[in-house]
Amino acid sequence: MKAETREAQAQAWSPEYLAAIVDSSDDAIIGKTLDGTIISWNRGAEQLYGYAADEVIGQPISILVPEDRPDEIPTILDRLRHGERIDHYKTVRVRKDGERLEISVTISPVRDATGTIIGASAIARDISEQERAIQEALRLREDFISIAAHELRTPLTTVFARLQLAERRLSRDEYDREALRRDVEIVRRGADRLRGLLERLLDISRIRSGRLELDRAPADVVALTRQVATELGENAGREVIVRGPEASAEPATVDAVRIEEVLTNLVDNATKYGAKDQPIEIDIAEDRASVRVSVSDRGPGVAPEERDLIFEPFHRARRDPRGVGLGLHVAREIVRFHGGSLTVEERPGGGATFVMVLPKADA
């Protein structure tokens, strides 16, 4: 019995079995001599680099190296001759079709029975997608820092300047109470802008971590829409036309505070970007399952190539870079968390129409 077990183990760890393991790996596994000649090439290497084994065996490993990295292979081979193992080395290689790949490779010296180094094995995997994701994350971080710093600086400068002015007014025996009241009002508005920006930045963090919580309860979305339209229209001194029912036939189970935030963002954007001498139009429609709110302006509209991009964080339209580029992203994610959708389309006759569709039941 023990003899049979030893025989089975010997077969399991035979050179043929080990070769089959190497050949079935998704990673590119390459054997080479100390002068860089390729002597083995598994199926993972074929998939990664595009060469069949009979095309590369006997060829120098340098066929995979970009022309702008001529010293890389000699340096690696020298380290291998000294018995050094190279772990998770990030570099660039070139496929047969000329495509450049970001790879992570581990290269180990191979020794014979006497311990003499006779070659090297390299195990590589494509990390192009990870590297692109890292670069995108770094770009977003830089955008975040740059835009947030700019947006925070503007209200902070106003607040600081007005507080200095108020301080000087109060130092006088007789001061203008009305002027001081205006200073305080400007400081309050600046503080509100800071609070709003910080809340949106926090929302971005909550959305990305999946921790944006909704306090759902039955609410009349139609009445809420009319309320937001009236208040923002009066504050901006703009005409806002609302068409549709006066109230919902059935309430929707939503977080009313969050949906008010979405509606405020859409109407506020329409007042900013729409033609000043033209009304903002809001159309409301509902059925038993959902409520649909469309907010239209008669401004320059949104170019087709930007209709998805404007919902991405920190994206601002090329023709009008006002704002921090967070409002529409947060608005869309809030609607998505409710199981609904927020899109933009061209308004017939010119301008943009933002369409929010919310299910009435808890999605």
Side-chain angles (χ1 to χ4, degrees):
M1 192 69 176
K2 288 183 179 179
E4 292 176 0
T5 301
R6 283 195 297 271
E7 183 180 352
Q9 288 176 339
Q11 290 176 351
W13 297 107
S14 67
E16 293 81 7
Y17 182 73
L18 295 175
I21 292 175
V22 169
D23 199 45
S24 63
S25 173
D26 289 334
D27 290 334
I29 302 178
I30 302 171
K32 56 192 174 187
T33 63
L34 287 178
D35 65 0
T37 301
I38 299 169
I39 57 175
S40 66
W41 185 267
N42 76 336
R43 275 184 283 186
E46 291 184 1
Q47 293 170 359
L48 183 60
Y49 297 115
Y51 291 98
D54 58 5
E55 293 179 282
V56 293
I57 290 178
Q59 296 292 323
I61 194 70
S62 58
I63 65 171
L64 304 176
V65 180
E67 292 181 357
D68 57 1
R69 295 172 179 251
D71 300 327
E72 189 171 287
I73 294 299
T75 301
I76 289 173
L77 292 175
D78 186 60
R79 291 170 65 182
L80 291 168
R81 291 187 190 98
H82 288 84
E84 186 178 347
R85 174 187 166 99
I86 301 167
D87 284 310
H88 306 298
Y89 177 62
K90 291 184 179 181
T91 186
V92 177
R93 293 292 179 258
V94 180
R95 284 174 47 86
K96 181 181 178 181
D97 60 10
E99 179 187 355
R100 292 171 71 98
L101 300 172
E102 300 273 353
I103 69 162
S104 174
V105 60
T106 294
I107 311 170
S108 305
V110 175
R111 302 175 187 271
D112 63 12
T114 66
T116 302
I117 298 172
I118 57 173
S121 67
I123 303 175
R125 62 179 50 184
D126 185 1
I127 58 169
S128 300
E129 286 298 323
Q130 296 96 309
E131 289 299 302
R132 279 192 286 270
I134 290 170
Q135 292 304 314
E136 177 64 11
L138 290 173
R139 185 190 67 79
L140 284 175
R141 186 190 69 176
E142 292 303 314
D143 286 348
F144 173 87
I145 293 171
S146 174
I147 294 172
H150 172 75
E151 294 294 322
L152 288 169
R153 185 186 301 117
T154 301
L156 275 174
T157 299
T158 301
V159 167
F160 187 69
R162 284 291 169 167
L163 285 175
Q164 285 183 315
L165 186 57
E167 187 177 35
R168 288 198 295 270
R169 294 189 202 279
L170 288 171
S171 67
R172 300 168 187 165
D173 292 335
E174 294 184 6
Y175 58 86
D176 186 340
R177 297 180 66 86
E178 181 59 25
L180 184 61
R181 187 196 65 77
R182 289 196 302 271
D183 291 338
V184 172
E185 176 62 19
I186 290 171
V187 169
R188 186 193 64 77
R189 288 201 301 267
D192 283 344
R193 283 188 62 192
L194 287 170
R195 182 180 62 181
L197 177 60
L198 289 172
E199 280 298 320
R200 285 187 175 174
L201 294 175
L202 287 172
D203 280 341
I204 290 288
S205 175
R206 296 182 188 115
I207 287 166
R208 292 190 170 181
S209 63
R211 292 185 290 106
L212 184 68
E213 296 182 358
L214 299 178
D215 185 12
R216 293 176 179 268
D220 187 334
V221 175
V222 173
L224 181 60
T225 302
R226 288 185 171 276
Q227 173 191 326
V228 170
T230 300
E231 291 178 358
L232 291 185
E234 290 177 355
N235 291 341
R238 298 289 301 278
E239 180 185 4
V240 181
I241 299 172
V242 182
R243 293 183 287 259
E246 294 293 327
S248 293
E250 304 91 9
T253 306
V254 298
D255 184 329
V257 172
R258 288 294 189 179
I259 296 304
E260 182 179 0
E261 180 182 344
V262 174
L263 292 167
T264 298
N265 180 269
L266 298 181
V267 178
D268 185 54
N269 280 348
T271 65
K272 288 179 183 176
Y273 304 115
K276 303 303 180 187
D277 59 346
Q278 297 292 328
I280 297 158
E281 299 168 303
I282 300 177
D283 291 282
I284 307 172
E286 67 169 348
D287 54 31
R288 294 185 63 85
S290 64
V291 58
R292 184 180 191 271
V293 178
S294 302
V295 179
S296 301
D297 64 60
R298 303 187 190 190
V302 180
E305 65 272 16
E306 291 200 329
R307 289 178 189 166
D308 290 327
L309 293 175
I310 60 170
F311 292 104
E312 295 301 318
F314 307 115
H315 179 81
R316 297 179 291 181
R318 290 192 299 271
R319 73 177 79 181
D320 193 339
R322 286 176 289 177
V324 70
L326 292 178
L328 284 173
H329 174 69
V330 172
R332 183 188 63 175
E333 295 306 309
I334 289 172
V335 174
R336 282 182 171 178
F337 270 71
H338 281 83
S341 64
L342 178 60
T343 56
V344 62
E345 57 194 43
E346 184 178 1
R347 176 189 174 277
T353 297
F354 286 83
V355 181
M356 176 183 73
V357 179
L358 281 175
K360 288 188 174 181
D362 190 345

